[in-house]
Amino acid sequence: MSFIEACDLQMVYGEDDSAVHAIRDISLEIEEGEFVAVMGESGAGKSTLLDVMGAMAEPTRGRIVVDGIDIYAISAEKRADFRREYLGFVFQNFHLVNYLTVLENAMLPLATTRLSRKEKTEMAQAALSWVGLGEKSHRMPNEISGGEKERVAIARAIVNDPPLLLADEPTGNLDARTSEEIMGLLRRLNQNGTTVFMVTHSLRCAESAKRRLTVSDGMIVEDSGRARGRLYSLPNPLDGVAAATL
């Protein structure tokens, strides 16, 4: 069994003539330790797919199994436990809490754990040191640069050592040099065994991934392939094909 298996995913907003098909019958397998980049135009369904895979938006139809856990077949409480234990999230707009220090922001995923304050602090400090911000842990978000804010977001995402990292346009607000630094951190995470699933508009960033998917009209139309890096083209949904199944 693959680490992640998505089967016949569909996400529809609205009904009848006003229905919007954000995801159209996507099936996908991802092996543990893969680095997958998802590309496509705005509105293609990339972020919706990320939300569904991150147990944040239940699909209209279909199922996702991560490490043997059918994440939409379990209770909401167990799904929250799953997110805490399995997932790290990195967002384009950082989503830092402005009135908390860098260290306190990095500690947020540990808030509901039974660890002591000392243990949480040590884990957050270690994550910040890993992203190169060990000496800035007591600064406020308005006292650091955009690239540093993204590093804090990565530290927060990895503080509990999750096996899966989901990243939504992690370099979208950064210059080219800083973007490369952030991608370097994601590559290092992947080399250390973390499975990375990243949405990006940047071909340069996508080239850091071992596998690239292209989404169009809610369907995967290209997959670079897992074995040899060759590009496989799937039938274009605009040609009337109902679904793309990998």
Side-chain angles (χ1 to χ4, degrees), residues 21-39:
H21 293 259
I23 296 178
R24 300 172 183 266
D25 300 312
I26 284 179
S27 292
L28 177 68
E29 294 185 4
I30 298 174
E31 303 300 330
E32 187 172 10
E34 279 201 87
F35 189 156
V36 181
V38 183
M39 302 190 68

Side-chain angles (χ1 to χ4, degrees), residues 110-235:
L110 305 175
T112 59
T113 66
R114 297 181 180 180
L115 299 171
S116 67
R117 174 76 180 186
K118 181 175 183 292
E119 289 173 315
K120 294 177 183 180
T121 299
E122 289 175 348
M123 291 173 67
Q125 188 65 50
L128 288 169
S129 295
W130 193 88
V131 300
L133 291 179
E135 296 181 356
K136 297 187 177 182
S137 60
H138 296 294
R139 294 194 180 185
M140 304 300 290
N142 64 357
E143 297 174 329
I144 59 177
S145 69
E148 289 171 335
K149 289 178 182 178
E150 192 69 4
R151 287 173 182 266
V152 176
I154 293 174
R156 180 182 58 196
I158 66 172
V159 68
N160 59 346
D161 194 24
L164 174 60
L165 184 77
L166 303 177
D168 190 2
E169 299 286 359
T171 64
N173 293 322
L174 307 176
D175 60 45
R177 181 182 64 82
T178 307
S179 294
E180 179 53 37
E181 292 174 354
I182 296 302
M183 292 310 304
L185 289 175
L186 297 185
R187 288 193 296 269
R188 281 176 55 200
L189 276 172
N190 180 244
Q191 290 164 3
N192 289 341
T194 303
T195 303
V196 179
F197 190 84
M198 175 185 70
V199 165
T200 181
H201 279 95
S202 169
L203 177 59
R204 184 168 183 175
C205 291
E207 289 173 346
S208 289
K210 299 173 184 176
R211 182 181 178 190
R212 296 192 299 277
L213 308 176
T214 301
V215 176
S216 177
D217 195 29
M219 298 180 0
I220 296 174
V221 295
E222 290 182 340
D223 183 351
S224 67
R226 291 171 293 184
R228 293 176 294 277
R230 296 205 309 262
L231 182 64
Y232 299 93
S233 295
L234 301 178

